[in-house]
Amino acid sequence: QSVLTQPPSASGTPGQRVTISCSGASSNIGGNTVNWYQQLPGTAPKLLISSNDHRPSGVPDRFSGSKSGTSASLAISGLQSEDEADYYCASWDDGLNGWVFGGGTKLTVL
Amino acid sequence: EVQLVESGGGAVQVGGSLRLSCVGSGFTFDDYTMHWVRQAPGKGLEWVSLINWDNDRIYYGDSVKGRFTISRDNSKNSLFLQMNSLRIEDTALYYCVKGYSSLTVDYFDFWGQGALVIVSS
């Protein structure tokens, strides 16, 4: 059972917009920033969104993040086949004194 | 180019020990907090431990506390994870991860390719 809650799966057709949610608590998302990681099949995770809504250099602007209260969301617009991957949210937890991840969302492009 | 290369993975029996190493290059190693994050086969990511640049701040996940020890040797750009009393559930790919943190931001910005640890009975 992960501390942060994500839907296990999401899907969309090319060109569509999909959103992945990440729910937490006041000890993690509520009081700290959220980061998102993309893990393509067979590869190491890669930073996708940092500090709730910041795109690192090289990440397409089709990816965007937001946070409200104890929840966060990752939105992918103009869905492409190469976006098929696992997506994880993460945040520092002040109660646990450690990082916590969501269980991951497997995105399928139909 | 930032590179993180793990080594030391392998197969070990329950109750055994293993020491993972990670060498970083392409960045000033002793400026950054380093982490270990693991991923069991077919499962999600689990944060294991962190150590800041001067060993002043060390934390562990609850599942490894008291069994694993993180350390670093900045003179050799190296990060280590000593794993004792290994359990079946410690079987995973262990990633060495570079952190980036400031007063307002904190995230993992680069990941190694991982070292596989298999614990069997």
Side-chain angles (χ1 to χ4, degrees):
Chain A
Q1 191 95 7
S2 302
V3 174
L4 304 182
T5 301
Q6 296 179 236
S9 63
S11 64
T13 56
Q16 264 191 332
R17 182 179 190 270
V18 297
T19 301
I20 297 171
S21 62
C22 175
S23 177
S26 58
S27 60
N28 41 67
I29 294 177
N32 298 290
T33 57
V34 177
N35 306 312
W36 290 89
Y37 301 90
Q38 177 193 57
Q39 186 174 33
L40 296 169
T43 69
K46 165 194 153 187
L47 179 65
L48 192 65
I49 297 287
S50 65
S51 308
N52 304 328
D53 56 9
H54 178 72
R55 268 189 318 277
S57 172
V59 173
D61 59 6
R62 303 185 294 103
F63 294 91
S64 62
S66 64
K67 182 186 116 168
S68 178
T70 59
S71 294
S73 291
L74 172 71
I76 310 171
S77 60
L79 200 60
Q80 299 181 3
S81 58
E82 56 259 39
D83 298 333
E84 199 160 272
D86 293 323
Y87 294 85
Y88 295 90
C89 59
S91 183
W92 176 261
D93 191 294
D94 294 322
L96 296 173
N97 268 334
W99 283 89
V100 290
F101 282 96
T105 298
K106 183 176 185 63
L107 175 65
T108 300
V109 181
L110 302 169
Chain B
E1 178 195 5
V2 171
Q3 285 198 324
L4 298 166
V5 180
E6 303 95 337
S7 61
V12 63
Q13 289 196 316
V14 169
S17 298
L18 216 51
R19 188 189 195 217
L20 301 182
S21 300
C22 168
V23 176
S25 60
F27 65 103
T28 305
F29 188 82
D30 55 9
D31 276 352
Y32 295 97
T33 294
M34 297 296 295
H35 305 258
W36 289 99
V37 175
R38 69 184 182 183
Q39 186 169 33
K43 302 296 184 182
L45 301 172
E46 180 188 11
W47 175 79
V48 173
S49 182
L50 75 80
I51 183 169
N52 77 331
W53 69 279
D54 66 352
N55 302 322
D56 185 51
R57 188 171 168 245
I58 292 177
Y59 294 114
Y60 298 95
D62 285 345
S63 61
V64 306
K65 212 170 285 184
R67 300 187 299 122
F68 289 11
T69 302
I70 193 171
S71 61
R72 64 191 295 163
D73 183 344
N74 289 334
S75 69
K76 297 180 180 177
N77 288 357
S78 294
L79 175 72
F80 306 102
L81 186 67
Q82 177 66 42
M83 303 184 293
N84 298 332
S85 303
L86 282 162
R87 305 168 179 168
I88 297 282
E89 54 265 33
D90 294 320
T91 294
L93 189 62
Y94 285 73
Y95 291 105
C96 171
V97 183
K98 174 183 171 291
Y100 179 87
S101 60
S102 68
L103 285 177
T104 56
V105 302
D106 202 353
Y107 51 83
F108 311 136
D109 59 352
F110 288 98
W111 301 62
Q113 288 306 302
L116 183 60
V117 172
I118 299 172
V119 184
S120 64
S121 55

